[in-house]
Amino acid sequence: MEPPMTRRLGRPKRRLLTVFSGGDGFASAATYGRARHTWEAAWSVENKPDMVVWWADEHGQDKCLGPYFTETRDGVTTKGVYERLEDGELHLGDIDCCVITAPCTDFCEVNPEAQGESGNQGRLFASVPAFIRLLRRRHKVKSYALEEAQECLNSKIVNDPSNGIIATLRKTNHWVAHGTVQFLRCGVPTTRARLGMVAASAEHMKRPGPF
């Protein structure tokens, strides 16, 4: 049963676009946890074929927008969400929050085979600034939330003054806050510090600073 206040006001749920969330991330919390009263995992974009199938089975065929990049498997090519945004083929309306948790093993110090931006996983994280710009073309995104390995905090992908994630969000009129986060304090079962970033739309301001 939903809280009385939510039921009485009849407010629609806030819609999430989750990118690389998998089956145990923020999307599940929004769908099954206490947050389900106010948030809805409206769409997902995944980089693993088994997660595309999982989303379709758990949430419906229309929930998962498909793979992040175009991929070909068993002779069948599926156009990626990234390329569909490039070609102006996606129209999702207003998005209350876009949650991005790109795979970051190619940046982790504990990974002896980490290849940075050139790795298979690294290139996914490296594409995040461009993804944000593509999404901006036809969509109003009210907020963003990102979670990555702590090592990403000092990366060019985050900090490049022209095309990094922070610069891109500010250029698209968002306040940005970021830093090292101990997610253990939030109930997440990990002792590793992580990069946490949130951005809130500030349409009335041009290139807002930090908040």
Side-chain angles (χ1 to χ4, degrees):
M1 180 179 293
E2 295 190 358
M5 182 62 72
T6 303
R7 206 170 52 243
R8 182 169 65 251
L9 295 178
R11 294 174 180 170
K13 292 183 179 181
R14 298 182 180 93
R15 304 192 301 169
L16 290 170
L17 167 61
T18 67
V19 185
F20 310 119
S21 69
D24 57 356
F26 194 87
S28 292
T31 306
Y32 300 118
R34 295 178 62 186
R36 71 183 183 278
H37 299 306
T38 53
W39 290 92
E40 173 191 9
W43 312 279
S44 178
V45 182
E46 301 297 339
N47 67 307
K48 295 181 179 180
D50 59 327
M51 290 313 309
V52 174
V53 174
W54 182 88
W55 265 88
D57 291 342
E58 289 289 322
H59 304 290
Q61 294 291 333
D62 59 333
K63 290 288 186 177
C64 188
L65 300 176
Y68 185 73
F69 286 130
T70 295
E71 61 181 33
T72 300
R73 293 182 179 275
D74 299 325
V76 178
T77 298
T78 303
K79 193 170 186 177
V81 171
Y82 189 97
E83 289 82 7
R84 291 167 68 190
L85 286 171
E86 282 186 312
D87 295 338
E89 297 175 0
L90 275 180
H91 306 278
L92 305 176
D94 290 353
I95 300 168
D96 292 298
C97 186
C98 178
V99 181
I100 303 175
T101 53
C104 47
T105 54
D106 273 319
F107 296 88
C108 294
E109 294 177 355
V110 296
N111 179 13
E113 299 179 356
Q115 300 178 49
E117 296 181 36
S118 61
N120 290 330
Q121 303 297 315
R123 75 185 191 103
L124 297 174
F125 180 53
S127 71
V128 169
F131 179 84
I132 292 171
R133 291 191 290 271
L134 289 172
L135 194 62
R136 170 75 172 181
R137 286 183 182 177
R138 296 177 180 271
H139 301 88
K140 177 182 177 181
V141 184
K142 298 179 182 178
S143 61
Y144 287 86
L146 291 87
E147 176 265 329
E148 302 293 343
Q150 185 182 16
E151 292 89 338
C152 296
L153 185 60
N154 298 317
S155 69
K156 182 180 178 181
I157 300 167
V158 172
N159 297 295
D160 185 281
S162 298
N163 296 309
I165 295 175
I166 296 173
T168 296
L169 288 169
R170 288 178 177 162
K171 287 178 181 179
T172 55
N173 301 94
H174 288 81
W175 274 309
V176 182
H178 69 286
T180 299
V181 179
Q182 298 290 348
F183 280 98
L184 180 64
R185 297 181 178 181
C186 305
V188 179
T190 179
T191 57
R192 293 181 298 167
R194 307 287 285 180
L195 161 63
M197 184 181 301
V198 292
S201 178
E203 296 182 63
H204 60 291
M205 300 179 69
K206 184 177 182 180
R207 299 188 182 182
F211 72 100

